Amino acid sequence: MTELAPPRPAMKAPERLRVLLVEDDEGDAFLVRELLEEAGASFDLQVATTLREAQSLMRGIQCVLLDLGLPDAEGIDGLRKLLAVAGSAAVVVLTGRSDEHLGVGAVAEGAQDYLVKGQVDGVLLARALRYAVERKRADENAQRLREVELRQAESARLERGLLPQPLMRTTAVDVHTFYRSGRAMGLLGGDFFDVVQVGDDKLHVIVGDVCGHSVDEAALGVELRVAWRALVLAGVPEDQVLGSLEQVLMTERRAREVFATVAMVSLDLRGNKATVRLAGHPPPVLLAGGKAVPVTARTGIVLGVRPTPTPATDVELTADDWSLLMYTDGLIEGHTGHGNERLDVEGLCGLLGEPAAAQVPLAALPPWLVGRAEQGNGGPLADDVAMLLISYGGGR
């Protein structure tokens, strides 16, 4: 029994194109119409005898057939005038001039093709028009793609420029930073951090997180970081800085429900001690003596809900070698791989206590932590992640 071949998929009928012929010779216009009809081409053809008339008929036109000898436009100059008003319509020159240099010049100006009267039949003409329309669409798509790529590159440069450079001159500590946005196609999220040295021995550091993931939150995060740096450099008393920062937040936010969590630490490098202020933010983790433990500090409420002074906690850094890890909650909100259990602060300390962590150089420790958190989460972390690792002496 002969096996029947599977039926071929039905071919989609060609798109019916709207074509404008700009031709002042009635005989040539009649011939073009006859050629297209004989070829069975699916075109709606309109005719204009002058460039001025053609300009009034361009609406909805997908392809223009242009003669280069019109009463009100001649040669390449006429082509330029038509291209200026053609918009997304493809332009094909159809002329009686068999001039190779003129044809090259016409295509260089922007025409999709150059055809000579008497040298094309109906099939070739119909094919040329369809190809011209597709080339025009491809050119426009390529142009749009290029514009998108340029905008993305410009946005990336802008966002990279908004990430801070630690403002410090001391060599007593090393600062390692990490930042990754959870926003699709973005380099900057609502998380922020900064480091500012005041005097010879005072280092102020902050890590914060604006709720939300859009460009509005990213912009607000930058505003808060810049405002915090200005407040610190202006010498505003430490116990007033977060209150002033909250005023900026409440003024600049797009909606009343937007809030921010903040961890601010003032390090006295000479006295080897720190003052910690937490506004709804997870505590820093102290690495010292081969152990990783969260700093025991009082926690105030988030900024932007009910203006309240953020309590301060003094911490003695008794070891000669220590590191202070400050981070946003995007690092610890992922799953651990055990049911719905989250990594949380305890899990973060567990990662830092692993023997493998001790072999990681301090500068590479923040990205290593993200990798381990993603391993437990079973994929990329959903939120922004910002980290500051301040190291003194050997660092752990």
Side-chain angles (χ1 to χ4, degrees):
M1 183 176 179
T2 304
E3 186 174 339
L4 296 176
R8 295 182 180 180
M11 296 295 291
K12 186 178 179 181
E15 176 186 5
R16 192 168 188 85
L17 299 180
R18 295 188 63 190
V19 178
L20 176 63
L21 172 63
V22 189
E23 173 63 74
D24 65 329
D25 188 304
E26 292 184 7
D28 286 345
F30 176 79
L31 180 60
V32 168
R33 189 182 298 276
E34 287 294 306
L35 288 174
L36 292 177
E37 288 180 358
E38 287 178 7
S42 53
F43 294 98
D44 291 328
L45 186 68
Q46 289 181 269
V47 179
T49 58
T50 63
L51 189 61
R52 182 185 183 89
E53 183 184 359
Q55 291 173 343
S56 67
L57 298 174
M58 288 300 304
R59 185 178 181 86
I61 294 298
Q62 294 161 289
C63 188
V64 181
L65 266 174
L66 174 68
D67 182 29
L68 294 183
L70 298 172
D72 57 347
E74 182 73 22
I76 292 295
D77 184 59
L79 173 61
R80 291 188 184 123
K81 291 179 179 178
L82 180 65
L83 288 170
V85 298
S88 60
V91 175
V92 175
V93 172
L94 180 64
T95 180
R97 304 179 188 181
S98 181
D99 185 332
E100 182 178 350
H101 294 293
L102 183 61
V104 171
V107 173
E109 288 291 335
Q112 263 63 51
D113 209 340
Y114 183 91
L115 304 176
V116 179
K117 296 175 182 178
Q119 296 183 9
V120 292
D121 58 18
V123 174
L124 179 58
L125 179 59
R127 186 182 302 150
L129 295 179
R130 290 205 175 274
Y131 288 177
V133 170
E134 293 305 321
R135 278 195 295 270
K136 180 67 174 180
R137 289 172 177 171
D139 289 345
E140 290 184 335
N141 289 337
Q143 178 65 24
R144 282 193 289 267
L145 178 60
R146 178 61 179 160
E147 290 173 355
V148 169
E149 290 173 344
L150 289 174
R151 284 197 297 270
Q152 289 177 343
E154 183 178 355
S155 296
R157 286 194 298 271
L158 176 62
E159 291 184 30
R160 277 193 293 268
L162 292 174
L163 288 173
Q165 295 296 322
L167 186 60
M168 53 182 287
R169 58 187 180 278
T170 182
T171 58
V173 295
D174 292 320
V175 175
H176 307 292
T177 65
F178 179 91
Y179 195 97
R180 191 176 71 186
S181 171
R183 182 166 58 89
M185 303 298 292
L187 299 178
L188 199 65
D191 291 4
F192 60 94
F193 66 84
D194 208 349
V195 180
V196 173
Q197 181 177 351
V198 176
D200 294 331
D201 301 303
K202 202 64 174 285
L203 198 67
H204 298 274
V205 293
I206 190 172
V207 170
D209 181 2
V210 178
C211 69
H213 304 282
S214 75
V215 292
D216 293 321
E217 284 73 40
L220 183 55
V222 172
E223 291 180 83
L224 294 179
R225 179 189 68 76
V226 173
W228 178 84
R229 177 176 283 204
L231 290 166
V232 171
L233 290 174
V236 173
E238 292 178 25
D239 60 354
Q240 297 177 24
V241 169
L242 291 186
S244 299
L245 195 66
E246 186 169 37
Q247 292 181 12
V248 175
L249 167 67
M250 296 174 71
T251 301
E252 298 295 331
R253 63 188 177 184
R254 60 178 174 79
R256 293 188 62 182
E257 61 269 18
V258 174
F259 64 87
T261 68
V262 169
M264 173 178 157
V265 176
S266 300
L267 285 163
D268 180 351
L269 301 179
R270 179 172 295 179
N272 206 24
K273 59 185 179 180
T275 300
V276 179
R277 290 177 172 86
L278 302 177
H281 203 86
V285 173
L286 181 64
L287 287 74
K291 297 181 180 179
V293 295
V295 172
T296 302
R298 291 181 292 167
T299 302
I301 66 172
V302 300
L303 303 184
V305 174
R306 187 178 69 254
T308 306
T310 302
T313 302
D314 293 325
V315 178
E316 295 290 336
L317 303 169
T318 55
D320 293 329
D321 303 286
W322 53 263
S323 287
L324 195 66
L325 177 66
M326 301 175 65
Y327 53 92
T328 53
D329 60 7
L331 177 64
I332 61 174
E333 287 186 338
H335 294 284
T336 62
H338 303 287
N340 291 323
E341 182 180 328
R342 303 280 183 175
L343 181 63
D344 214 344
V345 180
E346 183 179 351
L348 176 61
C349 292
L351 292 179
L352 289 166
E354 291 180 358
Q359 305 303 314
V360 179
L362 289 172
L365 193 57
W368 181 86
L369 285 172
V370 171
R372 289 288 287 109
E374 289 182 334
Q375 184 179 339
N377 191 51
L381 300 173
D383 202 358
D384 306 327
V385 178
M387 277 186 273
L388 279 175
L389 184 65
I390 305 102
S391 300
Y392 180 86
R396 48 193 166 188

